[in-house]
């Protein structure tokens, strides 16, 4: 490298410029981390932990819908089954929480490969129906098998101690544990969609035939994406069990699969933050409307209709589109 | 070894859809380094032939050979990796990726990192120079950061060609490359195809007869799924049957 190029990369003030650039590029990440750290002092931590678990679930789902264009209607199978497995090994085997989560998540990777191989052979509505059918089989399994305790579910699951050292019994410690898992999951998905693999996924979403004609075996890319998505949905379910100390049939029902679709669409499909915002809205709504009982589903339905009719890109999608419009009119004030 | 050097050879190719034969008993030979045009009225089976050769459709019977290798049972992506790359009738770019990303997707497969979900996409930046060269070749350099969806129609088709060329294919199959283009774009694209065809084999479906006359070394005329005539443009344009197929649809009452 010549000295000329050297000074160009380092900038006039040597290394200092790079630090400033680093701060500027990372300021949103840092702000996000600060919000996560401070939030439990302002809002009930268990409620926040619940949001984060569902946010992770929705992020996992969005990896498939937003970046490959595959609408799975059976993701509750991974979320719920991971909850059972993690609850079972915590309660019966007495393993530490991180080991329980790893076992449950790894099992969902295996289940993801199997379900994926069956489902990706079909497209569009047929893909959705196959995933729904498979998840209904998991529901039946959960209802009938012994280790899930059928209608009762697995109750009174201990939270244990992280690495056997840090007790997670207090609301605050479990919150920070969940926040840590969430951040790891979020960074993982961010990396996947900004990877060479992510580029191919987007091209499959945009035009599958063209991706094939460029020499990509699109089924293999879809299968890997499906597996990653199932694994992360499992991670979300396994973590949720620690928060509520309960694994129940609710988590494997088709309604749960529908819920995650709603969260993603409401927040903004194909955006990285959309599912997080969507999960926040839906979980808050459930809490607010809990007192009025069955009306919840009606309100939820109305919001969904409104979302599809008025802001189809979801909250985050609409906001970012608005920002982009504003930026372009600033650049060319006379244009348009 | 035969005296003819054919890149693609189909033998008795048949494709029927529920009793209707879109392609029947077509034996097509495409010579190496030829620009070979496939013409014929609508519904003659041109696009079906394309889909069969590139394996997007499975033939009902018959065989397809590529460089002497039987590819009748191969998968479409495999055929593309062997060096036979097709374009589509409707413009086929990735609309919500930038022009640069479109070409990069075409280039990145050869890096062998396309399953690497744990790596940053920055590893692809090494391809940017090559992307720039390819886009300069087709006059799209100034559009690198434009979303493909925002390109005018003619430019989209040219971008598609750049993506195909990025694979350095041995054979290019172009399905109506000029469809929907204005005169100026047609002229430019024809020139581009002529340049791209150097050292390559091109099989194309095209309705613009001037382009066909201008570019092709060899022409196969299809009608109702069968080969009606074959030859150079001068011979074909004087062929009675061909003239009738194109002009005289109303003779047979």
């Amino acid at each position: 490298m010549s000295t000329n190029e050297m000074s160009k990369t380092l900038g006039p003030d040597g290394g200092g410029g790079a630090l400033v650039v680093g701060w500027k590029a990372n300021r949103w990440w840092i702000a996000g981390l600060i919000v996560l750290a401070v939030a439990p002092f302002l809002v009930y931590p268990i409620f926040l932990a619940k949001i984060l678990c569902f946010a992770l679930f929705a992020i996992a789902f969005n990896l498939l819908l937003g970046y490959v264009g595959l609408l799975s209607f059976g993701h509750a199978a991974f979320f719920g089954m991971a909850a059972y497995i993690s609850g079972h090994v915590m309660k019966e085997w007495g393993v530490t929480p991180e080991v329980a989560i790893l076992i449950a998540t790894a099992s969902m990777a295996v289940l993801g490969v199997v379900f994926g191989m069956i489902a990706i052979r079909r497209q569009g509505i047929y893909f959705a129906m196959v995933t729904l059918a498979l998840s209904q089989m998991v529901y039946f399994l959960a209802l009938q098998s012994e280790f899930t305790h059928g209608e009762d579910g697995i109750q009174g699951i201990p939270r244990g101690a992280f690495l056997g050292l840090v007790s997670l019994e207090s609301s605050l410690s479990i919150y920070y544990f969940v926040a840590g898992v969430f951040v790891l999951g979020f960074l993982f998905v961010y990396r996947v969609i900004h990877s060479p693999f992510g580029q191919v996924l987007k091209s499959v979403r945009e035009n599958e035939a063209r991706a094939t004609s460029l020499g990509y075996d699109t089924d293999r890319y879809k299968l890997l994406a499906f597996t990653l998505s199932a694994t992360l949905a499992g991670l979300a379910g396994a973590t949720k069990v620690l928060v509520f100390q309960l694994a129940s049939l609710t988590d494997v029902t088709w309604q749960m699969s529908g819920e995650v679709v709603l969260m993603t669409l409401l927040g903004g499909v194909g955006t990285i933050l959309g599912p997080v915002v969507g999960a926040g809205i839906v979980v808050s709504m459930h809490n607010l409307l809990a007192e009025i009982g069955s009306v919840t589903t009606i309100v939820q339905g109305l919001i969904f209709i409104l979302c599809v009719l008025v802001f189809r890109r979801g909250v985050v999608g609409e906001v970012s589109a608005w920002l982009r419009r504003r930026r372009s009119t600033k650049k060319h004030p006379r244009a348009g | 070894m035969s005296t003819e050097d054919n890149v693609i050879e189909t033998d008795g190719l048949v494709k029927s859809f529920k009793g209707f034969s879109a392609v029947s008993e077509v034996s097509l030979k495409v010579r190496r380094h030829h620009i070979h045009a496939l013409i014929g009225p609508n519904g003659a089976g041109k696009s079906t032939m394309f889909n069969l050769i590139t394996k997007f459709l499975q033939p009902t019977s018959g065989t397809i050979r590529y460089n002497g290798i039987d590819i009748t049972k191969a998968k479409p992506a495999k055929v593309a990796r062997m060096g036979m790359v097709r374009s589509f009738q409707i413009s086929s770019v990735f609309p919500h990726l930038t022009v640069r990303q479109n070409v990069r997707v075409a280039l990145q497969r050869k890096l062998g990192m396309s399953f690497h979900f744990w790596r940053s996409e920055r590893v692809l930046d090494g391809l940017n120079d090559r992307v720039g060269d390819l886009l300069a070749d087709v006059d799209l350099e100034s559009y690198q950061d434009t979303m493909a969806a925002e390109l005018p129609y003619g430019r989209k088709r040219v971008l598609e060609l750049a993506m195909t060329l990025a694979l350095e294919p041995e054979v290019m199959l172009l399905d109506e490359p000029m469809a929907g283009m204005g005169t100026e774009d047609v002229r430019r694209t024809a020139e581009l195809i002529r340049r791209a065809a150097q050292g390559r084999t091109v099989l194309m479906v095209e309705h613009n007869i001037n382009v066909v006359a201008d570019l092709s070394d060899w022409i196969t005329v299809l009608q109702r799924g069968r080969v009606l005539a074959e030859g150079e443009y001068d011979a074909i344009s004087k062929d009675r049957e061909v003239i009738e197929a194109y002009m005289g649809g109303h003779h047979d009452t």
Side-chain angles (χ1 to χ4, degrees):
Chain A
M1 193 190 271
S2 75
T3 33
N4 202 2
E5 277 173 87
M6 191 87 115
S7 64
K8 224 190 279 170
T9 38
L10 287 180
D13 53 346
L19 269 179
V20 176
V21 170
W23 159 249
K24 265 204 150 171
N26 291 320
R27 64 190 192 279
W28 294 112
W29 292 102
I30 294 164
L33 285 177
I34 292 172
V35 168
L36 276 180
V38 175
F41 297 101
L42 306 170
V43 187
Y44 182 49
I46 295 298
F47 169 67
L48 289 176
K50 184 179 178 186
I51 290 182
L52 289 182
C53 289
F54 279 105
L56 187 55
F57 184 27
I59 287 172
F61 171 80
N62 186 42
L63 177 61
L64 214 47
L65 180 61
Y67 296 93
V68 202
L70 290 173
L71 170 61
S72 161
F73 209 77
H75 257 46
F78 307 114
F79 185 72
M81 197 34 90
Y84 278 123
I85 292 174
S86 140
H88 181 77
V89 298
M90 284 286 286
K91 198 175 173 186
E92 307 296 331
W93 302 358
V95 300
T96 52
E98 73 286 347
V99 174
I101 287 179
L102 281 179
I103 292 173
T105 307
S107 317
M108 289 314 104
V110 176
L111 193 64
V113 174
V114 177
F115 281 15
M117 285 204 291
I118 301 168
I120 56 161
R121 289 161 190 278
R122 293 287 170 268
Q123 280 164 348
I125 189 74
Y126 301 102
F127 174 85
M129 288 300 114
V130 171
T131 51
L132 173 61
L134 290 169
S135 79
Q136 286 304 92
M137 286 164 64
V138 170
Y139 174 79
F140 183 74
L141 201 74
L143 189 64
Q144 299 293 322
S145 32
E146 218 149 89
F147 92 102
T148 59
H149 299 278
E151 306 262 357
D152 297 335
I154 308 177
Q155 298 178 3
I157 299 161
R159 281 183 186 158
F162 178 50
L163 297 173
L165 301 169
V166 188
S167 164
L168 298 178
E169 289 303 327
S170 84
S171 303
L172 214 53
S173 57
I174 190 71
Y175 167 79
Y176 282 118
F177 179 78
V178 171
V181 171
F182 170 79
V183 168
L184 288 179
F186 187 88
L187 288 176
F188 179 78
V189 171
Y190 184 84
R191 173 42 63 89
V192 170
I193 61 182
H194 292 104
S195 70
F197 173 67
Q199 279 294 318
V200 180
L201 284 189
K202 284 172 214 165
S203 75
V204 172
R205 172 193 70 189
E206 299 279 297
N207 191 332
E208 186 172 351
R210 184 58 177 162
T212 303
S213 81
L214 294 178
Y216 293 108
D217 284 311
T218 54
D219 277 357
R220 293 173 62 197
Y221 291 86
K222 287 197 225 169
L223 179 59
L224 179 54
F226 191 92
T227 307
L228 293 176
S229 173
T231 309
L232 277 166
L235 176 65
T239 311
K240 182 190 171 261
V241 153
L242 293 179
V243 179
F244 293 96
Q245 305 181 278
L246 167 74
S248 72
L249 282 173
T250 322
D251 295 341
V252 274
T253 52
W254 63 266
Q255 286 95 332
M256 184 57 79
S257 297
E259 203 100 300
V260 78
V261 178
L262 175 67
M263 289 175 188
T264 308
L265 291 184
L266 204 57
V269 65
T271 62
I272 182 84
L273 276 177
V276 182
V277 173
I281 296 173
V282 171
V283 173
S284 309
M285 206 161 67
H286 276 290
N287 270 38
L288 286 173
L289 301 174
E291 293 133 55
I292 43 176
S294 57
V295 186
T296 316
T297 46
I298 296 177
V299 176
Q300 199 169 317
L302 285 175
I303 291 179
F304 187 65
I305 292 168
L306 200 73
C307 168
V308 171
L309 289 179
V310 184
F311 52 110
R312 211 169 294 173
R313 282 177 281 212
V315 175
V316 174
E318 291 295 338
V319 169
S320 63
W322 177 73
L323 284 175
R324 222 171 312 149
R325 268 201 307 274
R326 229 179 56 147
R327 210 175 302 149
S328 68
T329 46
K330 247 188 206 166
K331 235 192 272 171
H332 324 279
R334 294 274 154 195
Chain B
M1 215 175 103
S2 66
T3 43
E4 286 179 21
D5 184 13
N6 297 325
V7 184
I8 303 170
E9 276 183 17
T10 72
D11 191 23
L13 210 54
V14 175
K15 179 68 190 177
S16 25
F17 298 103
K18 294 183 179 158
F20 160 75
S21 292
V23 164
S24 35
E25 297 288 331
V26 172
S27 297
L28 183 75
K29 290 180 171 59
V30 180
R31 288 281 294 272
R32 191 176 304 280
H33 297 168
H34 260 184
I35 298 183
H36 188 139
L38 213 51
I39 64 170
N42 283 328
K46 305 179 300 279
S47 286
T48 308
M49 272 305 286
F50 254 51
N51 285 328
L52 289 172
I53 292 172
T54 51
K55 305 302 302 133
F56 276 72
L57 280 176
Q58 191 57 31
T60 311
S61 65
T63 57
I64 307 161
R65 286 172 173 280
Y66 169 57
N67 279 332
I69 303 163
D70 190 333
I71 57 160
T72 314
K73 298 230 150 52
K75 279 187 177 176
K78 168 82 177 151
V79 171
R81 288 199 294 273
M82 289 169 80
M84 182 151 76
V85 181
R86 68 169 296 175
S87 72
F88 295 82
Q89 213 171 71
I90 40 167
S91 107
S92 251
V93 294
F94 304 121
H96 298 103
L97 300 183
T98 64
V99 168
R100 176 187 295 117
Q101 286 171 330
N102 266 274
V103 181
R104 243 167 42 170
V105 168
L107 285 172
Q108 81 170 72
R109 189 171 47 73
K110 287 193 178 144
L111 291 181
M113 289 183 192
S114 292
F115 283 106
H116 292 193
F117 58 80
W118 58 89
R119 261 181 216 270
S120 164
E121 64 191 346
R122 254 171 271 157
V123 297
L124 301 177
D125 285 347
L127 298 171
N128 286 353
D129 286 347
R130 178 90 184 97
V131 173
D133 291 347
L134 281 159
L135 288 175
D137 267 355
V138 298
D139 271 339
L140 279 179
E141 228 179 349
S142 54
Y143 291 94
Q144 293 210 25
D145 295 307
T146 310
M147 285 285 162
E150 288 162 17
L151 289 179
Y153 185 78
R155 298 279 168 150
K156 271 187 208 158
R157 304 243 48 173
V158 168
L159 169 60
E160 208 183 318
L161 210 54
M163 290 160 73
T164 303
L165 287 172
L167 301 182
E168 292 173 29
E170 190 183 339
V171 183
M172 291 200 292
L173 287 91
L174 307 175
D175 199 353
E176 299 193 27
M178 316 290 183
M181 277 189 187
T183 336
E184 181 55 22
D185 279 336
V186 167
R187 197 188 52 75
R188 257 209 309 224
T189 310
E191 200 40 55
L192 192 60
I193 291 173
R194 195 199 306 281
R195 247 192 306 142
Q198 308 234 318
R200 293 204 167 87
T201 310
V202 174
L203 176 63
M204 68 174 182
V205 169
E206 184 50 56
H207 281 300
N208 187 327
I209 208 71
N210 293 326
V211 171
V212 171
D214 187 31
L215 284 181
S216 42
D217 301 301
W218 197 258
I219 297 168
T220 300
V221 187
L222 288 178
Q223 191 192 21
R224 294 191 192 127
R226 290 174 189 280
V227 177
L228 184 66
E230 269 191 293
E232 290 175 2
Y233 178 75
D234 289 339
I236 291 287
S237 61
K238 294 188 188 88
D239 189 298
R240 265 189 55 87
E241 277 191 296
V242 174
I243 295 168
E244 238 167 62
Y246 267 93
M247 312 290 190
H250 36 83
H251 280 293
D252 44 54
T253 14

